[in-house]
CSV table of all heavy atoms in Angstrom, one decimal:
chain,number,residue,atom,x,y,z
A,1540,LEU,N,-40.1,-35.8,-25.8
A,1540,LEU,CA,-38.9,-35.5,-26.6
A,1540,LEU,C,-39.3,-35.8,-28.1
A,1540,LEU,O,-40.3,-36.5,-28.4
A,1540,LEU,CB,-37.8,-36.4,-26.2
A,1540,LEU,CG,-37.4,-36.4,-24.8
A,1540,LEU,CD1,-36.2,-37.2,-24.5
A,1540,LEU,CD2,-37.0,-34.9,-24.3
A,1541,LEU,N,-38.5,-35.3,-29.0
A,1541,LEU,CA,-38.8,-35.4,-30.4
A,1541,LEU,C,-37.6,-36.0,-31.1
A,1541,LEU,O,-36.5,-35.5,-30.8
A,1541,LEU,CB,-39.2,-34.1,-31.1
A,1541,LEU,CG,-40.5,-33.4,-30.5
A,1541,LEU,CD1,-40.6,-32.0,-31.0
A,1541,LEU,CD2,-41.7,-34.3,-30.8
A,1542,ASP,N,-37.8,-37.0,-31.9
A,1542,ASP,CA,-36.6,-37.5,-32.7
A,1542,ASP,C,-36.5,-36.8,-34.0
A,1542,ASP,O,-37.2,-35.9,-34.3
A,1542,ASP,CB,-36.7,-39.0,-32.7
A,1542,ASP,CG,-37.7,-39.5,-33.7
A,1542,ASP,OD1,-38.4,-38.7,-34.4
A,1542,ASP,OD2,-37.9,-40.8,-33.9
A,1543,GLU,N,-35.6,-37.3,-34.8
A,1543,GLU,CA,-35.3,-36.6,-36.1
A,1543,GLU,C,-36.5,-36.4,-37.0
A,1543,GLU,O,-36.6,-35.5,-37.7
A,1543,GLU,CB,-34.1,-37.2,-36.8
A,1543,GLU,CG,-34.3,-38.7,-37.2
A,1543,GLU,CD,-34.0,-39.7,-36.1
A,1543,GLU,OE1,-33.5,-39.2,-35.0
A,1543,GLU,OE2,-34.4,-40.8,-36.2
A,1544,SER,N,-37.5,-37.4,-36.9
A,1544,SER,CA,-38.7,-37.2,-37.7
A,1544,SER,C,-39.8,-36.6,-36.9
A,1544,SER,O,-41.0,-36.8,-37.3
A,1544,SER,CB,-39.0,-38.6,-38.3
A,1544,SER,OG,-39.2,-39.5,-37.3
A,1545,TYR,N,-39.5,-36.0,-35.8
A,1545,TYR,CA,-40.5,-35.3,-34.9
A,1545,TYR,C,-41.5,-36.3,-34.4
A,1545,TYR,O,-42.6,-36.0,-34.2
A,1545,TYR,CB,-41.1,-34.1,-35.6
A,1545,TYR,CG,-40.1,-33.0,-35.9
A,1545,TYR,CD1,-39.5,-32.9,-37.1
A,1545,TYR,CD2,-39.7,-32.2,-34.8
A,1545,TYR,CE1,-38.5,-31.9,-37.3
A,1545,TYR,CE2,-38.7,-31.2,-35.1
A,1545,TYR,CZ,-38.1,-31.1,-36.3
A,1545,TYR,OH,-37.2,-30.2,-36.5
A,1546,THR,N,-41.0,-37.5,-34.2
A,1546,THR,CA,-41.9,-38.5,-33.5
A,1546,THR,C,-41.8,-38.2,-32.0
A,1546,THR,O,-40.7,-38.1,-31.5
A,1546,THR,CB,-41.4,-39.9,-33.9
A,1546,THR,OG1,-41.4,-40.1,-35.3
A,1546,THR,CG2,-42.3,-41.0,-33.2
A,1547,ALA,N,-42.9,-38.2,-31.4
A,1547,ALA,CA,-42.9,-38.0,-29.9
A,1547,ALA,C,-42.4,-39.2,-29.1
A,1547,ALA,O,-42.7,-40.3,-29.5
A,1547,ALA,CB,-44.3,-37.6,-29.5
A,1548,LYS,N,-41.6,-38.9,-28.2
A,1548,LYS,CA,-41.1,-39.9,-27.3
A,1548,LYS,C,-41.2,-39.4,-25.8
A,1548,LYS,O,-40.5,-38.5,-25.5
A,1548,LYS,CB,-39.6,-40.3,-27.6
A,1548,LYS,CG,-39.5,-41.1,-28.9
A,1548,LYS,CD,-38.1,-41.6,-29.1
A,1548,LYS,CE,-38.0,-42.4,-30.4
A,1548,LYS,NZ,-38.4,-43.8,-30.3
A,1549,VAL,N,-42.0,-40.1,-25.1
A,1549,VAL,CA,-42.3,-39.6,-23.7
A,1549,VAL,C,-41.1,-40.1,-22.8
A,1549,VAL,O,-40.7,-41.2,-22.9
A,1549,VAL,CB,-43.6,-40.2,-23.2
A,1549,VAL,CG1,-43.9,-39.7,-21.8
A,1549,VAL,CG2,-44.7,-39.8,-24.1
A,1550,SER,N,-40.6,-39.2,-22.0
A,1550,SER,CA,-39.5,-39.5,-21.2
A,1550,SER,C,-39.8,-39.3,-19.7
A,1550,SER,O,-40.9,-38.8,-19.4
A,1550,SER,CB,-38.3,-38.7,-21.6
A,1550,SER,OG,-38.4,-37.4,-21.0
A,1551,ASP,N,-38.9,-39.8,-18.9
A,1551,ASP,CA,-39.0,-39.5,-17.4
A,1551,ASP,C,-40.1,-40.2,-16.7
A,1551,ASP,O,-40.7,-39.7,-15.8
A,1551,ASP,CB,-39.1,-38.0,-17.2
A,1551,ASP,CG,-37.8,-37.5,-16.6
A,1551,ASP,OD1,-36.9,-38.3,-16.4
A,1551,ASP,OD2,-37.8,-36.3,-16.3
A,1552,PHE,N,-40.4,-41.4,-17.1
A,1552,PHE,CA,-41.5,-42.1,-16.5
A,1552,PHE,C,-41.1,-42.5,-15.0
A,1552,PHE,O,-40.0,-42.9,-14.7
A,1552,PHE,CB,-41.8,-43.5,-17.2
A,1552,PHE,CG,-42.7,-43.3,-18.3
A,1552,PHE,CD1,-42.3,-43.1,-19.6
A,1552,PHE,CD2,-44.1,-43.2,-18.0
A,1552,PHE,CE1,-43.2,-42.9,-20.6
A,1552,PHE,CE2,-44.9,-43.0,-19.0
A,1552,PHE,CZ,-44.5,-42.8,-20.3
A,1553,GLY,N,-42.1,-42.3,-14.2
A,1553,GLY,CA,-42.0,-42.8,-12.8
A,1553,GLY,C,-40.8,-42.4,-12.1
A,1553,GLY,O,-40.8,-42.1,-10.9
Side-chain angles (χ1 to χ4, degrees):
L1540 307 183
L1541 299 171
D1542 73 1
E1543 59 281 349
S1544 57
Y1545 294 100
T1546 303
K1548 286 190 184 272
V1549 180
S1550 78
D1551 249 1
F1552 274 98

